[in-house]
Every structure is written in C-alpha cells, then in structure tokens.
Amino acid sequence: MSSRFDSQRFTALARERRLALGAPFSAVEETGSTNDDALLAARAGAPHGATFLADAQRSGRGRRGRAWVSPPGENLMFSVVLRPRLEPERVSSLTLVVGLSVREAVDKRLDGAARVKWPNDVVVETRKLAGILVESQLIAGRIEALVAGIGINVGSTPVEVSDLATSLRALGCADLERESLLCDVLGGLEARLSIHARAGIGGLIEELRAHDALIGRRVRVDESTGIARGIDAGGALLLEDETGIRPIVSGTVELLEGRHPPGPGPR
Ligand code: BTN
C-alpha cells in the first residue's frame, strides 16, 4: 500500500459527517512523534479536536517507554488534543473510551472480531491490532489538556512483534482506506466523550463488557495472576484470585491459557 495520507479527502469526509474532532487537522510525511506534536500544540493553545497525523514517526512511543515502530505510509498514526471537562479521577478511564471508539471503527471492517484489551489495546484473538497512549498536559497539577495518541495497524505489522500483532490487511480486510477509518474513529470518539462526560465510564460499561478481550480469561498482570472479571465503574480491571476480587488500576496484562466460568464479580 504505502501512500501519502490524503488530507483533502479526509477533510471532505469529516465535513460531510459534521465531525467536531479532526479540526484543525495537520498531516505530515514524517515527524518525531504525533503525541509530541499534539502536546506542543496543546501547550500553545490548540483547541479541543486538533489532530496531528504522520505517515511515519522517527520516535513513536507506546506505554511504559516502549517504541512504536511502523513502516512509512502503511498504518494510521495520529494524536488528538482533548480538552474535556473532566474530574481528574475520570482521566484514566479515557483510554478505554478511546479504545471502544477504535474497536468499533476497525470492527466495522472485520465483522465482530475486535475486542478491547484493558488498558490500552485493541486486539483480534490474542493479536494486537491497535494501541493507545493518552498523555496529559498539566499546569500546576491541573489537567490543561489530554492527548490521545492512536496507532492502528492497517497495511502492515511491525516486524519485531509480528507474532504478537496483526493488521487489517493480515486479517483479510478489503477496505484499507485510512481517511475513512480516521473519520470513523473520530466520530465514535465524539459520541463516547459526551457519554463519558455525563456518566463516566459507567455509561459505557455495557459496551465494554460486550467487547472485553479479557473477561473470564486467565491473565497475568505484572506480578499477579488470576481470572479477569471485567472492568469496574472507575475503569479498573477486576482480578479474581484465591483472596477474592480486587481492582487493578494500572499494569500490563498477559493473556494466559483458558477461559473460566463466570465468577461472583460484576458482569
Ligand atoms: C501502546 O500500545 O503502548 C500505545 C501505542 C501508541 C502509538 C501511537 S502512534 C501515534 C501516537 N504517537 C506516538 O508516538 N504514539 C502514539
């Protein structure tokens, strides 16, 4: 595939759909990291919805300082400036709001196979199709803006993780157009942000439950192992082990073998 992102086409589609997110819009052939571009712009006053896309990143990053490597012009990599009126305790669940929006957009092209893997991935089976990195711009401890950085494997899978990752192309998807995919993600995000502002992640809990990659699965979260029992109203992962069910607020999850019958936790 490898092509330049067509900004004019994206802008026309976004206008047709009356999207609020995605404007102002900037697309470049190459940058360091679109999250850095968006954070810099946010510091300079960029409005809610400003979106920064690149065909290639020299130093794209993921959670926990990991590199996000992607061949030029193959995948969808962008960052959106968000200025939601959010209480600080709702911020961590924003990654899940973005995750649901990405999931829906890719799933439309895949017929029901994509799931959200807490806290920040979209997967098909056990393979990662997309990753999300939400970062915040703080002033005197107050959240001034958030940047939601999204990488979706469209045409190719990073070579170094090809056994752990997948792409829309590898999954046999016929529609690999990045411009309409971006519109779908932003449209879904717009709708869910207003639910989240009104009701918090609780307003999206049914959707999360329906598309949770971990629920009922045996998982390792950093040092702990147990059965994933869903996500609570604060956006924490519920992990059941011999001591009971407890919320985990952050961590890296590894899926272990096997599915387990429903336990006593929230469904
Ligand atoms: C992860 O899976 O750990 C998150 C990956 C996030 C990657 C995207 S690509 C666009 C944006 N710019 C970055 O540097 N990172 C995010």
Side-chain angles (χ1 to χ4, degrees):
M1 185 176 71
S2 184
S3 59
R4 288 289 313 265
F5 187 86
D6 185 342
S7 297
Q8 276 185 355
R9 172 154 174 78
F10 165 72
T11 313
L13 288 172
R15 199 172 303 129
E16 236 170 63
R17 290 177 56 162
R18 299 173 191 276
L19 288 185
L21 299 180
F25 181 70
S26 148
V28 294
E29 214 166 333
E30 190 182 291
T31 190
S33 152
T34 58
N35 263 34
D36 285 340
D37 298 343
L39 283 166
L40 201 68
R43 254 174 243 129
H48 179 76
T51 299
F52 297 81
L53 178 144
D55 285 319
Q57 300 185 116
R58 289 182 298 277
S59 43
R61 61 174 177 275
R63 279 176 78 235
R64 303 193 163 196
R66 292 191 197 105
W68 183 265
V69 184
S70 172
E74 291 273 333
N75 296 325
L76 187 60
M77 296 178 288
F78 65 99
S79 304
V80 191
V81 174
L82 300 173
R83 296 188 183 275
R85 272 192 218 109
L86 266 192
E87 293 121 51
E89 57 273 20
R90 286 195 177 175
V91 167
S92 64
S93 60
L94 209 86
T95 304
L96 294 166
V97 175
V98 179
L100 284 173
S101 311
V102 172
R103 190 213 72 83
E104 181 186 55
V106 293
D107 202 60
K108 188 172 152 189
R109 290 151 174 85
L110 290 172
D111 295 334
R115 295 183 191 284
V116 172
K117 177 173 171 253
W118 183 94
N120 73 313
D121 292 346
V122 173
V123 297
V124 171
E125 310 262 319
T126 55
R127 287 174 185 252
K128 178 158 169 166
L129 180 59
I132 294 143
L133 178 66
V134 174
E135 295 180 306
S136 39
Q137 183 215 347
L138 299 172
I139 294 185
R142 201 167 53 86
I143 290 160
E144 208 33 50
L146 294 164
V147 163
I150 300 166
I152 305 178
N153 297 331
V154 176
S156 90
T157 303
V159 180
E160 55 276 35
V161 292
S162 57
D163 54 335
L164 303 172
T166 190
S167 66
L168 288 176
R169 183 193 293 279
L171 292 163
C173 174
D175 176 8
L176 301 178
E177 203 220 282
R178 292 182 296 163
E179 293 76 9
S180 55
L181 178 59
L182 176 57
C183 275
D184 286 346
V185 174
L186 294 176
L189 183 55
E190 229 168 272
R192 288 178 183 83
L193 280 174
S194 64
I195 298 175
H196 189 248
R198 275 198 315 275
I201 199 68
L204 294 162
I205 214 78
E206 286 309 316
E207 187 184 1
L208 266 174
R209 214 160 272 163
H211 303 295
D212 184 339
L214 302 177
I215 205 158
R217 305 288 299 266
R218 194 167 167 70
V219 295
R220 178 178 299 122
V221 190
D222 300 329
E223 307 305 306
S224 316
T225 55
I227 313 297
R229 292 301 183 197
I231 290 161
D232 74 7
L237 175 72
L238 295 168
L239 186 72
E240 181 180 12
D241 60 16
E242 50 294 337
T243 64
I245 296 182
R246 65 197 157 95
I248 309 265
V249 293
S250 73
T252 297
V253 182
E254 188 191 338
L255 261 168
L256 305 171
E257 287 311 302
R259 221 165 236 297
H260 292 261
R267 306 274 153 259

